[in-house]
């Protein structure tokens, strides 16, 4: 659903849960800016989107200040183990999730936990750009934890899917159960322990050291984990120049390394530039060109790709016109298999304020490792246990490594001063969801609600074959038959599906603020009056 502003509007927030969006709305209405609001919404998401993110998960953000400075912020995950002994026995198990059409295994236990920087990242963002006191910014989340939050239908569905992971330990199971059962949509849940943690740290950010000391104690080598006290004193929140690319009259800024998604999205947009001149929206020609572009991105993401993204010269060459021309001639090259996460446990928050401040932030907890820090209400991440962000294998990277992610929140600015902030959950699908939404907005000049809701497709690859996943609503049989001629293995999704991400979007167009929450992932937007 799209929400439009009035002339008195102070800002717009789009997020994966109504309560998450409302937390940011409250802070905007109290005089906060986009960065106060995105931090408030992030805190709220830790409470009411527990299946998708957490204080000890990871995140990335694209920021544009009211003064026009654009920066990428990375507070994802670090490989732990600095200066510490290896555990005698690593707590590193496995749970299998049944998605109905397929199953997928995830590693869990304390040995699956990376050094997640979501909470220190939000605190640092607030310190750098926020306006209101941090304790006020945390108040909406604290109330949600103590007074209760309503479980949305998407969250209830995800918790049911990943219940084997949350049931790994009794403490983790208790975090998401009501009277011994999983919640259903509309149930009220509480997390007073996490509310207290957020309140104490917001009152005195130095209390974060106490939380991280508990993290090291309960997830360190003596307990089968890898977190050490040296890990806690050697991390930094990273600020960097974004990857930027032109599309029509828009400059689009997205995440640099260690995000691989940002550069892939930038390249995909370069390849798709001009598609609106030659094809009709959602025609067979449009969809085939999008799928072939996705095929190129599959092909170029070799195991070495993420490493090379650290080199500025590589990025410059990747996005150069000569490389774009060469890749457009390589559409017939067969794709190569890459592991993918069928769930994609990530959530997006997009904020634009009335002064022109913009924040697009993506958060994740993996699927959670099935373990909590006692007394905190915090389910710890399993970022070391996801195959798609550990392409060299589990526990192969040296301690202190900045972990790679596909997450790629993106901010756009055009020559008229219009603004876009968006991003998506969805593991490897998120890059295609973001790319298609931006293409719909810019190349086809779709209204924002249609650009977000338009049927999506996602190409998956294997060594010998590939399949095209398509949301078939609004597509004619003839169009689908035409797609099947080009991509014989066509997987048809009858309606909008969370598999294809959730592109929660905030916009300022012609001086009017608007927000669209992607219904695929329970999206909601809120206008601050």
């Amino acid at each position: 659903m799209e929400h439009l502003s009035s002339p008195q509007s102070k800002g717009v927030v789009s997020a994966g849960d109504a309560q998450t969006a409302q937390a940011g709305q409250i802070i905007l209405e109290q005089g906060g800016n986009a960065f106060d609001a995105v931090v408030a919404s992030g805190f709220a998401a830790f409470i009411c989107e527990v299946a998708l993110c957490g204080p000890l998960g990871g995140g990335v953000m694209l920021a544009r200040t009211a003064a026009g400075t654009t920066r990428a912020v990375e507070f994802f995950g670090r490989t732990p183990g600095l200066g510490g002994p290896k555990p005698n026995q690593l707590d590193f198990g496995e749970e299998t999730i049944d998605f109905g059409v397929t199953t997928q295994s995830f590693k869990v236990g304390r040995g699956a936990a990376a050094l997640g920087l979501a909470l220190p990242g939000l605190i640092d963002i607030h310190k750098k750009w926020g306006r209101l006191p941090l304790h006020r910014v945390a108040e909406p989340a604290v109330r949600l934890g103590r007074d209760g939050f309503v479980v949305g239908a998407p969250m209830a569905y995800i918790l049911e899917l990943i219940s084997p992971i949350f049931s790994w330990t009794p403490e983790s199971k208790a975090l998401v159960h009501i009277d011994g059962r999983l919640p259903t949509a509309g149930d009220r849940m509480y997390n007073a322990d996490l509310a207290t943690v957020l309140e104490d740290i917001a009152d005195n950010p130095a209390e974060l050291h106490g939380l991280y000391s508990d993290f090291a104690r309960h997830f360190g080598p003596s307990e089968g984990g890898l977190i050490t006290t040296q890990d806690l004193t050697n991390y930094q929140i990273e600020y960097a120049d974004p990857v930027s690319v032109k599309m029509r009259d828009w400059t689009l800024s997205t995440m640099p390394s260690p995000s691989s998604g940002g550069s892939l999205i930038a390249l995909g947009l370069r390849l798709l530039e001009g598609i609106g001149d030659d094809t009709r929206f959602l025609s067979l020609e449009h969809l085939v060109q999008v799928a072939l572009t996705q095929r190129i991105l599959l092909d170029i993401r070799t195991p070495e790709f993420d490493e090379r993204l650290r080199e500025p010269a590589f990025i410059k060459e990747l996005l150069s016109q000569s490389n774009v021309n060469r890749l457009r001639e390589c559409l017939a090259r067969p794709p190569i298999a890459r592991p993918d996460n069928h769930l994609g446990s990530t959530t997006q928050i997009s904020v634009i304020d009335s002064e022109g401040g913009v924040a697009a932030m993506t958060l994740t907890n993996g699927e959670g490792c099935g373990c909590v820090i006692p007394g905190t209400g915090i389910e710890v991440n399993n970022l070391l246990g996801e195959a798609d962000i550990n392409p060299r294998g589990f526990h192969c990277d040296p301690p202190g490594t900045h972990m790679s992610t596909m997450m790629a929140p993106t901010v756009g600015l055009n020559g008229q001063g219009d603004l876009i902030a968006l991003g998506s959950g969805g593991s490897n699908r998120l890059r295609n969801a973001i790319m298609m939404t931006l293409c719909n907005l810019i190349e086809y000049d779709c209204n924002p609600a249609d650009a977000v809701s338009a049927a999506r497709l996602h190409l998956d690859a294997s060594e010998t074959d590939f399949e095209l996943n398509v949301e078939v609503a609004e597509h004619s049989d003839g169009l689908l038959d035409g797609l099947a001629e080009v991509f014989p293995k066509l997987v048809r999704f009858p309606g909008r599906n969370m598999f294809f991400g959730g592109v929660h979007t905030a916009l300022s167009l012609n001086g009017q603020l608007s927000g669209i929450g992607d219904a695929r992932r329970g999206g909601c937007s809120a206008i601050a009056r």
Side-chain angles (χ1 to χ4, degrees), residues 132-152:
L132 298 182
L134 186 59
H135 69 86
R136 284 183 61 188
V137 169
E139 283 174 358
V142 172
R143 285 197 296 270
L144 285 169
R146 290 198 178 129
D147 299 343
F149 61 96
V150 177
V151 178

Side-chain angles (χ1 to χ4, degrees), residues 101 456-458 460 466-472 480 483-484 487-494 499-500:
V101 297
R456 293 186 191 137
L457 51 82
H458 172 75
D460 271 336
F466 57 95
E467 64 184 25
L468 186 64
N469 302 276
V470 184
E471 292 178 321
V472 301
L480 294 171
L483 279 176
F487 308 98
K489 194 171 182 180
L490 198 68
V491 181
R492 305 182 186 209
F493 288 73
F499 176 83
F500 294 90

Side-chain angles (χ1 to χ4, degrees), residues 340-400:
D340 196 8
N341 176 334
H342 290 277
L343 178 59
S345 297
T346 41
T347 193
Q348 172 68 23
I349 302 167
S350 302
V351 184
I352 300 178
D353 66 32
S354 59
E355 300 169 19
V358 185
M361 179 170 72
T362 315
L363 298 170
T364 186
N365 206 34
E367 293 68 40
C369 71
C371 304
V372 302
I373 299 176
T376 67
I378 296 175
E379 174 84 9
V380 175
N381 73 81
N382 72 329
L383 297 178
L384 295 183
E386 286 197 350
D388 56 327
I389 59 174
N390 293 273
R392 287 176 290 278
F394 298 120
H395 303 122
C396 290
D397 289 330

Side-chain angles (χ1 to χ4, degrees), residues 1 3 13-19 21-22 504 516-518 522-526:
M1 178 183 296
H3 288 89
V13 185
S14 293
D17 185 278
Q19 297 152 116
Q22 288 161 6
H504 310 316
I516 302 95
D518 193 334
C524 184
S525 62

Side-chain angles (χ1 to χ4, degrees), residues 93 98 100 160 180 247 312 328 335 337 348 356-357 392-393 396 433 469 478 505:
D98 187 352
E160 183 177 5
M247 189 176 204
R328 282 175 173 162
Q348 172 68 23
R392 287 176 290 278
C396 290
N469 302 276
T505 305

Side-chain angles (χ1 to χ4, degrees), residues 1 10 123 152 188 190 362 385 397 475:
M1 178 183 296
K10 294 183 177 180
I123 292 170
R188 183 168 292 272
Y190 304 83
T362 315
D397 289 330
H475 290 329

Side-chain angles (χ1 to χ4, degrees), residues 138-224:
E139 283 174 358
V142 172
R143 285 197 296 270
L144 285 169
R146 290 198 178 129
D147 299 343
F149 61 96
V150 177
V151 178
M155 193 56 43
Y157 170 71
I158 295 169
L159 284 172
E160 183 177 5
L161 268 183
I162 64 176
S163 60
I165 292 175
F166 270 85
S167 298
W168 185 254
T169 63
E171 297 81 7
S172 173
K173 184 176 181 179
L175 194 62
V176 295
H177 280 66
I178 304 172
D179 298 328
R181 65 168 176 85
L182 286 166
T184 57
D187 281 343
R188 183 168 292 272
M189 291 183 67
Y190 304 83
N191 194 337
D193 286 342
L194 180 51
T196 298
V197 169
L198 294 177
E199 183 177 52
D200 289 347
I201 291 174
D203 284 339
N204 179 13
E207 292 289 332
L208 181 65
H209 299 302
L211 174 64
Y212 268 62
S213 294
D214 288 344
F215 189 17
R217 182 162 64 254
H218 292 285
F219 284 74
S222 65
E223 301 298 323

